[in-house]
Amino acid sequence: MKTIIALIAAVCLAGCQKADILDTNSTTNPMVNNMATQTNFNPAGQTLVLQGNFESAVHATSGVVKIYEDKDKKRTLVFENFKTDAGPDLRIYLAEDRSVTNFIQITDKVQNGNLSLAIPANADFKKQNHVLIWCRQFSVLFGFATLK
C-alpha cells in the first residue's frame, strides 16, 4: 500500500516538476499571458491597499505583489519582479489560505516579470488575503504571498 501511495505521489508531482523558467518573450510559450495586462502600471492617483512578498512552496517563486485601488474603487493586482517556474495549467488565485479555501481565479495565464491584472469586484480582502500560484492540473502550490 505504501508503494502505491508513493507511486501516485511521484506521478502527481512529476506533472509539476521544475521546468524551464517562463519565457515572457516567446510567442510560442503557452504560459505567456495573452489576456489584456499592463506591464507598466502607473500607481499615480491610486491608493496602495495591501502588499506581500512571494514565498516558494513546491517551486521557487519570488517577487512582490501589491493591490491598488483607484478613486472609482476599481482594484488592480500588481506583480513586481515576479518569477516562478513553468508548469502545466498554472493559475493565479486570491484565496483565504494556502489550501485554496474560498478562492477567486484572477487568471489562467501566468508570466514572469512586472504585470498588473484587474481584480473582480467580489474579492473580499478581509478573507481572501493570499495570492496563490497554483497548478490546477496536479493541485500543487508553486508559491504564495500573504497580503498585509
Side-chain angles (χ1 to χ4, degrees), residues 5-40:
I5 293 172
L7 181 60
I8 291 170
V11 168
C12 288
L13 289 176
C16 286
Q17 283 285 334
K18 188 171 184 173
D20 294 331
I21 297 298
L22 298 176
D23 179 4
T24 58
N25 296 319
S26 171
T27 58
T28 59
N29 185 339
M31 296 311 301
V32 173
N33 192 338
N34 60 8
M35 63 180 277
T37 60
Q38 300 175 4
T39 54
N40 295 319

Side-chain angles (χ1 to χ4, degrees), residues 22 28-33 86-91 108-111:
L22 298 176
T28 59
N29 185 339
M31 296 311 301
V32 173
N33 192 338
D89 202 18
L90 290 185
R91 310 294 171 114
D108 62 353
K109 307 293 183 197
V110 177
Q111 76 180 49

Side-chain angles (χ1 to χ4, degrees), residues 23-101:
D23 179 4
T24 58
N25 296 319
S26 171
T27 58
T28 59
N29 185 339
M31 296 311 301
V32 173
N33 192 338
N34 60 8
M35 63 180 277
T37 60
Q38 300 175 4
T39 54
N40 295 319
F41 179 77
N42 183 356
Q46 300 204 36
T47 303
L48 176 61
V49 179
L50 296 165
Q51 68 179 13
N53 294 314
F54 275 101
E55 298 179 40
S56 300
V58 173
H59 290 268
T61 304
S62 61
V64 176
V65 64
K66 298 178 180 181
I67 294 179
Y68 286 93
E69 186 174 83
D70 69 12
K71 62 182 177 177
D72 297 324
K73 302 295 183 194
K74 290 183 182 176
R75 298 169 296 179
T76 305
L77 189 65
V78 178
F79 290 75
E80 296 176 353
N81 302 313
F82 176 72
K83 192 172 187 179
T84 194
D85 291 336
D89 202 18
L90 290 185
R91 310 294 171 114
I92 297 175
Y93 293 157
L94 282 175
E96 288 185 13
D97 54 32
R98 293 184 282 170
S99 299
V100 198
T101 303

Side-chain angles (χ1 to χ4, degrees), residues 108-136:
D108 62 353
K109 307 293 183 197
V110 177
Q111 76 180 49
N112 288 329
N114 299 326
L115 67 142
S116 60
L117 302 162
I119 299 172
N122 63 335
D124 179 0
F125 298 123
K126 291 178 183 168
K127 293 180 181 177
Q128 296 163 319
N129 63 350
H130 288 74
V131 179
L132 308 180
I133 308 303
W134 186 260
C135 174
R136 189 177 86 173

